[in-house]
C-alpha cells in the first residue's frame, strides 16, 4: 500500500512528495500522493496497537468508565465534542506514562489552553508540531493521530519497551486416518518408499560390464519369446478380478492444504462456474424485470403527457391565479404596513385623549363639589364659638385682676393708718 510506505513529517505532510517553487510569488506548492488521504487510517491502527501494549484498557478506560475507541476513531468525524475529550484524556495519560507530570483535563477547561499545554509537552520530547493548534480542536484528523502516535512512542520508550522478532506458532499436522484394509496409499508413504529405493540403489554399486551382459541376455530372451507373447493365454475373468482386487491399492490420496494456491485457484474456478450458472438463471429474470420497468415507465410518460395536454388550460388558469394571488399579497403587505403605522398613531392619540379627559374630570369635580365650602363654614362657626369663649375667659380674668388690685389697695391703706402713733401716748413714757 502506498500510504503505509509513506512517512509522516511533523507538519502532517509526507516525505517523498514532489515540491515545486513558484517563480513569481516564491510559494512552495506541495503535491501529495493519492494515498495521503488514507495514511491517517494506518497511523490510527498503529496507535491502537501501541495503546494495547501500554495496557490502556486496564489503566485508563476502566478507571474512567470510557468506551474503547475503534480502529478508526480519530480518523473519521463522529462526535467532535466526545472525540476532543477523548483526545485530551488520552494525551494527558500518555504524557504521564512518558514520565512528565500533566494534570487530567476537565470538561469545562479552556480548549485552547489545553491544546497549547499538550503541544508544549510534545515539543519538550523533541518532537516538532508545525501546524496550527486549531487543527486539534476538532478532535479528529491526521494531526490528532500524529500527536497521539508520537506520545505513545515516547511512552513506550520511557517504559523500555523493545520490539522483538515474531515467534510463529508451530502448526501440528493432523495425521490422516488410514482405512483398516490399508487400501489407499498416502503421498508421504509413496515418497518414503521412493527415497528408500534410491538409497538402496546408491548403496549397491553395479558394474557396467555386468549390466551390459544382463541387458544383452534379456534382449535375446525377449526376441525369442516375442512369438509366444503374441498369443495370450490369460483368462479375461481372472484378469478383471485381479484388477478389481488391486485397484483400491493403486489409489493415492494427496492431503489438501488450505493455504496452497492450487486450492485457491480451484475455489476460484468453482465460484466462477457458480456465478456463471447463477448469472444465466438470473439474467433472464433481470431482463424480464428490466423490460417490465421500461414498459411501465413508457406508460407513465405517455399518461403524463396526456394529462398535461388535457389539463393545459387549467394549468394556465392556475398560473394566472397564482400571479393574482402574489399581487394581492403584495398589496396586502403594503396595506398592512400602513394600517400598522396608523394603529400606532391612533394608540398614541388615544392615550393623550385619556390624559386630557382625566384632567378635565378632576377640575370639573373640584369646581362643582360643595364639600370644601361646607368645611369652610363649619370652620368659621367653630372659630366664632372659640372666640366667644375666649372673650368670656378674658372678662373673668380682668374682673379677677381688678378685685385683686382693689383688695391690695385697701390693705395698703389700712396698713398706713395703723402705723401712725398719737403724741400724748408717747410723752407719758
Amino acid at each position: 500500500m502506498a500510504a503505509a510506505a509513506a512517512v509522516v513529517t511533523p507538519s502532517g505532510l509526507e516525505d517523498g512528495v514532489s515540491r515545486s517553487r513558484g517563480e513569481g510569488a516564491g510559494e512552495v506548492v506541495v503535491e501529495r500522493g493519492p494515498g495521503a488521504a488514507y495514511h491517517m487510517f494506518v497511523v490510527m491502527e498503529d496507535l491502537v496497537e501501541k495503546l494495547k501494549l501500554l495496557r490502556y484498557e486496564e489503566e485508563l478506560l476502566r478507571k474512567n468508565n470510557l468506551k474503547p475507541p475503534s480502529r478508526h476513531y480519530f480518523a473519521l468525524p463522529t462526535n467532535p465534542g466526545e472525540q476532543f475529550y477523548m483526545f485530551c484524556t488520552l494525551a494527558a495519560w500518555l504524557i504521564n506514562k512518558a514520565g512528565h507530570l500533566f494534570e487530567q483535563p476537565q470538561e469545562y477547561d479552556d480548549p485552547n489552553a489545553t491544546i497549547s499545554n499538550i503541544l508544549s509537552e510534545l515539543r519538550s520530547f523533541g518532537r516538532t508540531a508545525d501546524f496550527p493548534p486549531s487543527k486539534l480542536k476538532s478532535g479528529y484528523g491526521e494531526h490528532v493521530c500524529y500527536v497521539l502516535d508520537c506520545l505513545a512512542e515516547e511512552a513506550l520508550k520511557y517504559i523500555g519497551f523493545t520490539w522483538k522478532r515474531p515467534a510463529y506458532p508451530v502448526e501440528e499436522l493432523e495425521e490422516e486416518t488410514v482405512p483398516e484394509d490399508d487400501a489407499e496409499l498416502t503421498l508421504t508413504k509413496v515418497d518414503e518408499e521412493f527415497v528408500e529405493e534410491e538409497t538402496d540403489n546408491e548403496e549397491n554399486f553395479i558394474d557396467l560390464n555386468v549390466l551390459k551382459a544382463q541387458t544383452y541376455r534379456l534382449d535375446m530372451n525377449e526376441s525369442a519369446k516375442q512369438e509366444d507373447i503374441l498369443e495370450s493365454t490369460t483368462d479375461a475373468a481372472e484378469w478383471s478380478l485381479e484388477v478389481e482386487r488391486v485397484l483400491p491399492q493403486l489409489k493415492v490420496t494427496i492431503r489438501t492444504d488450505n493455504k496452497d494456491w492450487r486450492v485457491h485457484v480451484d475455489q476460484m474456478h468453482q465460484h466462477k462456474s457458480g456465478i456463471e450458472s447463477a448469472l444465466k438463471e438470473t439474467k433472464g429474470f433481470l431482463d424480464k424485470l428490466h423490460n417490465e420497468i421500461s414498459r411501465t415507465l413508457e406508460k407513465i410518460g405517455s399518461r403524463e403527457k396526456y394529462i398535461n395536454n388535457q389539463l393545459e388550460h387549467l394549468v394556465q388558469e392556475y398560473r394566472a391565479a397564482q400571479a393574482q394571488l402574489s399581487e394581492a399579497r403584495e398589496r396586502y403587505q403594503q396595506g398592512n404596513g400602513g394600517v400598522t403605522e396608523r394603529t400606532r398613531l391612533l394608540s398614541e392619540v388615544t392615550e393623550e385623549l385619556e390624559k386630557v379627559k382625566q384632567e378635565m374630570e378632576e377640575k370639573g369635580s373640584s369646581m362643582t363639589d360643595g364639600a370644601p365650602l361646607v368645611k369652610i363654614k363649619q370652620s368659621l362657626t367653630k372659630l366664632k364659638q372659640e372666640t366667644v369663649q375666649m372673650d368670656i375667659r378674658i372678662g373673668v380674668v380682668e374682673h379677677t385682676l381688678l378685685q385683686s388690685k382693689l383688695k391690695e389697695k385697701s390693705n395698703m391703706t389700712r396698713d398706713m393708718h395703723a402705723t401712725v402713733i398719737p403724741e400724748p401716748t408717747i410723752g407719758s413714757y
Side-chain angles (χ1 to χ4, degrees):
M1 176 180 266
V7 179
V8 175
T9 61
S11 60
L13 301 176
E14 295 181 354
D15 291 342
V17 296
S18 60
R19 296 176 173 85
S20 60
R21 184 177 299 275
E23 297 179 357
E27 296 179 354
V28 177
V29 180
V30 181
E31 297 179 359
R32 305 181 67 181
Y38 304 98
H39 181 70
M40 58 181 173
F41 293 94
V42 180
V43 176
M44 182 62 202
E45 291 183 358
D46 294 340
L47 173 63
V48 172
E49 298 298 332
K50 292 174 185 177
L51 292 176
K52 289 181 180 179
L53 293 174
L54 293 170
R55 303 176 63 85
Y56 81 114
E57 294 178 351
E58 294 82 1
E59 297 181 7
L60 178 66
L61 299 181
R62 292 181 182 176
K63 290 182 179 179
N64 298 325
N65 294 324
L66 297 175
K67 295 181 181 180
S70 61
R71 300 188 70 86
H72 300 151
Y73 182 76
F74 293 109
L76 297 174
T78 54
N79 187 352
E82 180 182 351
Q83 286 176 312
F84 179 73
Y85 177 72
M86 192 69 180
F87 162 70
C88 295
T89 304
L90 271 177
W93 181 74
L94 289 173
I95 291 170
N96 291 322
K97 289 288 288 185
H100 291 195
L101 295 177
F102 193 85
E103 294 183 359
Q104 190 72 20
Q106 301 299 324
E107 184 177 359
Y108 299 102
D109 291 346
D110 186 11
N112 296 322
T114 304
I115 291 172
S116 63
N117 294 333
I118 292 172
L119 291 178
S120 63
E121 292 292 338
L122 181 66
R123 294 188 182 96
S124 66
F125 289 115
R127 303 281 183 154
T128 57
D130 299 334
F131 53 85
S134 60
K135 296 287 186 180
L136 302 178
K137 193 177 292 184
S138 61
Y140 67 91
E142 58 181 353
H143 301 94
V144 173
C145 297
Y146 166 73
V147 171
L148 293 177
D149 187 64
C150 292
L151 294 176
E153 289 181 358
E154 295 297 331
L156 290 174
K157 289 180 183 178
Y158 183 77
I159 64 175
F161 178 80
T162 55
W163 295 98
K164 298 180 181 179
R165 291 184 175 272
Y168 297 103
V170 179
E171 296 183 356
E172 297 181 357
L173 299 177
E174 297 179 358
E175 296 182 356
E176 188 176 1
T177 57
V178 182
E180 296 180 356
D181 56 353
D182 295 332
E184 297 181 358
L185 300 176
T186 59
L187 184 60
T188 55
K189 288 184 178 180
V190 175
D191 293 337
E192 290 175 359
E193 292 177 357
F194 183 74
V195 171
E196 288 177 359
E197 290 179 357
E198 287 183 350
T199 54
D200 293 339
N201 292 332
E202 290 178 357
E203 291 177 356
N204 298 326
F205 296 99
I206 300 174
D207 191 1
L208 295 176
N209 295 325
V210 175
L211 183 61
K212 289 180 180 179
Q214 291 178 356
T215 305
Y216 179 75
R217 286 197 297 271
L218 290 173
D219 292 337
M220 293 298 291
N221 292 329
E222 287 179 357
S223 60
K225 294 180 179 179
Q226 283 180 356
E227 296 179 356
D228 297 334
I229 293 173
L230 292 176
E231 186 177 357
S232 177
T233 58
T234 305
D235 189 3
E238 293 179 357
W239 179 266
S240 61
L241 291 174
E242 184 67 18
V243 169
E244 291 178 358
R245 186 182 67 83
V246 180
L247 183 61
Q249 299 180 1
L250 298 177
K251 291 182 180 180
V252 177
T253 303
I254 300 175
R255 178 179 294 174
T256 59
D257 189 4
N258 293 328
K259 297 181 180 179
D260 190 5
W261 62 271
R262 298 179 182 85
V263 177
H264 295 169
V265 171
D266 293 337
Q267 291 178 355
M268 290 170 62
H269 287 298
Q270 292 177 1
H271 293 319
K272 181 182 178 182
S273 61
I275 291 170
E276 289 177 352
S277 61
L279 180 61
K280 290 178 181 178
E281 296 177 359
T282 57
K283 188 175 181 180
F285 296 106
L286 293 175
D287 292 337
K288 185 177 179 181
L289 182 61
H290 179 265
N291 295 330
E292 291 179 356
I293 293 172
S294 300
R295 287 194 298 270
T296 305
L297 291 175
E298 290 177 357
K299 289 180 180 179
I300 292 172
S302 61
R303 295 290 177 84
E304 185 177 359
K305 291 179 181 179
Y306 175 75
I307 292 171
N308 290 332
N309 293 328
Q310 293 293 327
L311 302 177
E312 184 66 26
H313 63 284
L314 295 177
V315 173
Q316 292 178 358
E317 292 178 359
Y318 174 74
R319 290 175 181 172
Q322 284 288 110
Q324 293 177 1
L325 178 61
S326 61
E327 293 177 358
R329 284 180 178 174
E330 291 179 358
R331 291 196 299 272
Y332 171 75
Q333 292 293 336
Q334 295 176 359
N336 192 15
V339 170
T340 304
E341 183 67 22
R342 289 176 176 79
T343 304
R344 186 179 63 80
L345 294 174
L346 178 62
S347 62
E348 293 178 357
V349 172
T350 305
E351 290 178 358
E352 293 179 358
L353 181 61
E354 290 293 334
K355 290 181 181 178
V356 172
K357 286 182 178 179
Q358 187 175 0
E359 292 178 357
M360 291 177 65
E361 288 178 357
E362 290 178 356
K363 291 182 179 180
S365 61
S366 62
M367 292 173 65
T368 58
D369 192 7
L373 294 175
V374 174
K375 290 181 180 179
I376 291 171
K377 290 180 179 180
Q378 291 177 356
S379 299
L380 290 173
T381 306
K382 189 175 181 180
L383 286 172
K384 287 179 181 180
Q385 292 176 358
E386 291 178 356
T387 303
V388 171
Q389 291 177 1
M390 289 297 293
D391 290 339
I392 294 170
R393 289 180 181 178
I394 289 170
V396 173
V397 171
E398 287 179 351
H399 179 71
T400 304
L401 288 173
L402 182 59
Q403 285 182 355
S404 62
K405 284 180 179 181
L406 291 173
K407 186 176 181 179
E408 185 178 359
K409 188 175 180 181
S410 63
N411 291 331
M412 289 177 66
T413 304
R414 187 176 61 249
D415 292 336
M416 287 176 67
H417 289 291
T419 54
V420 176
I421 301 172
E423 293 180 356
T425 308
I426 296 172
S428 60
Y429 287 105

